[in-house]
Amino acid sequence: MIQKGGLKIAHFVTIHNHYMYDTQSSWKNHITSCIDSYLQSQICVDTSIVSDSSDSYISECVFEKGRTGSETDAKSSDFILKESFNDLDATQKYKDLWLQCENCYELNYKKLLISKMNICEQCGYHLKISSSERINVLIDPGTWDPMDEDMVSLDPIGFHSEEEPYKDRIDSYQKNTGLTEAVQTGVGQLNGIPIAIGVMDFQFMGGSVGSAVGEKITRLIEYATDQFLPLIIVCASGGARMQEGSLSLMQKESNSVCLI
């Protein structure tokens, strides 16, 4: 009876081991399928971007690090080096899809983040938002009409800098942000109500106020006054722009006079 019991036990262990092997071999495919299905159905990511039958980035991140230590030290070193290069390439590939929260460091899918007005889904932190994104959030679709887009800053006092000339710095910010200046002004509709609005952008030289920024705001105020429109100004300014000296300081008085 003991021998038979032993055989029964051995037979049970064999079946159990076979079941565990089947479970482990299918677990990777099951998890990968769940992740890919979620991304495709919930956030509409193309299959060609998310899923790769040979070297899926998600599968690699989740499962490659869980390999057993049966390989030799030399093979392990080669694997780690190869994985580092793969992670770097994948990071570059997916950098436009995800944004890391500055507060909790969790990743947010950009499409969902924008729909939530740049509020982190994990911790509720309010992330930075550009002037263009702010306009898209506030203004009804198809109603935005910008004003004075061609107005740009020059170098009225010939500001000297050993690091970078002021004009070159302006050109650099224009290229990086796609804006001509640190404020966007225009008219549109907010819930069907016509308004005049100016939105400053901190990404353009810290939202500093130069002669062009001040003039654009002044013209916006005057237009809203003449047309009897509600006026909204979203301020994100770092103060007067030192590269334009006293001309930048005068913009505060110019705007104040128009508002009185």
Side-chain angles (χ1 to χ4, degrees), residues 17-220:
N17 289 340
H18 179 69
Y19 171 76
M20 289 296 294
Y21 174 79
D22 291 341
T23 302
Q24 292 175 358
S25 63
S26 62
W27 185 246
K28 175 178 178 179
N29 294 331
H30 175 67
I31 293 296
T32 303
S33 177
C34 288
I35 293 175
D36 290 348
S37 297
Y38 172 77
L39 291 176
Q40 293 175 40
S41 62
Q42 298 297 324
I43 54 183
C44 302
V45 178
D46 293 338
T47 305
S48 60
I49 298 177
V50 176
S51 180
D52 192 324
S53 58
S54 59
D55 57 348
S56 174
Y57 172 64
I58 297 176
S59 302
E60 187 175 331
C61 290
V62 174
F63 297 105
E64 290 291 350
K65 294 180 178 61
R67 288 184 174 179
T68 60
S70 60
E71 298 178 348
T72 62
D73 293 340
K75 290 183 178 180
S76 297
S77 299
D78 292 341
F79 167 72
I80 293 174
L81 183 61
K82 180 180 179 181
E83 186 184 49
S84 298
F85 282 109
N86 289 338
D87 286 348
L88 180 61
D89 294 340
T91 299
Q92 296 297 322
K93 181 179 179 181
Y94 289 93
K95 67 178 181 179
D96 294 329
L97 295 178
W98 307 90
L99 186 66
Q100 188 177 42
C101 176
E102 301 172 3
N103 184 56
C104 67
Y105 304 107
E106 292 291 337
L107 291 177
N108 290 268
Y109 181 62
K110 280 190 175 181
K111 186 174 181 179
L112 293 179
L113 186 66
I114 293 174
S115 69
K116 296 180 180 294
M117 295 184 293
N118 279 34
I119 299 176
C120 178
E121 187 177 9
Q122 308 299 326
C123 67
Y125 182 77
H126 289 244
L127 300 174
K128 295 176 182 177
I129 183 170
S130 68
S131 58
S132 298
E133 292 172 333
R134 181 81 65 182
I135 291 171
N136 290 334
V137 169
L138 294 176
I139 302 301
D140 297 342
T143 65
W144 172 245
D145 184 16
M147 298 171 54
D148 302 313
E149 285 187 297
D150 57 344
M151 187 177 296
V152 297
S153 293
L154 299 177
D155 190 1
I157 65 173
F159 184 80
H160 174 72
S161 174
E162 295 181 356
E163 297 180 358
E164 185 179 17
Y166 176 49
K167 189 63 174 65
D168 292 345
R169 194 172 183 184
I170 290 292
D171 293 340
S172 176
Y173 277 104
Q174 289 175 343
K175 180 179 179 180
N176 293 335
T177 63
L179 304 175
T180 56
E181 257 300 344
V183 65
Q184 292 194 69
T185 58
V187 294
Q189 294 184 12
L190 176 59
N191 293 332
I193 302 174
I195 64 169
I197 183 172
V199 184
M200 306 193 74
D201 200 315
F202 195 82
Q203 298 179 37
F204 196 106
M205 294 191 72
S208 56
V209 178
S211 54
V213 173
E215 181 64 21
K216 291 182 71 171
I217 295 176
T218 297
R219 292 188 181 188
L220 178 69

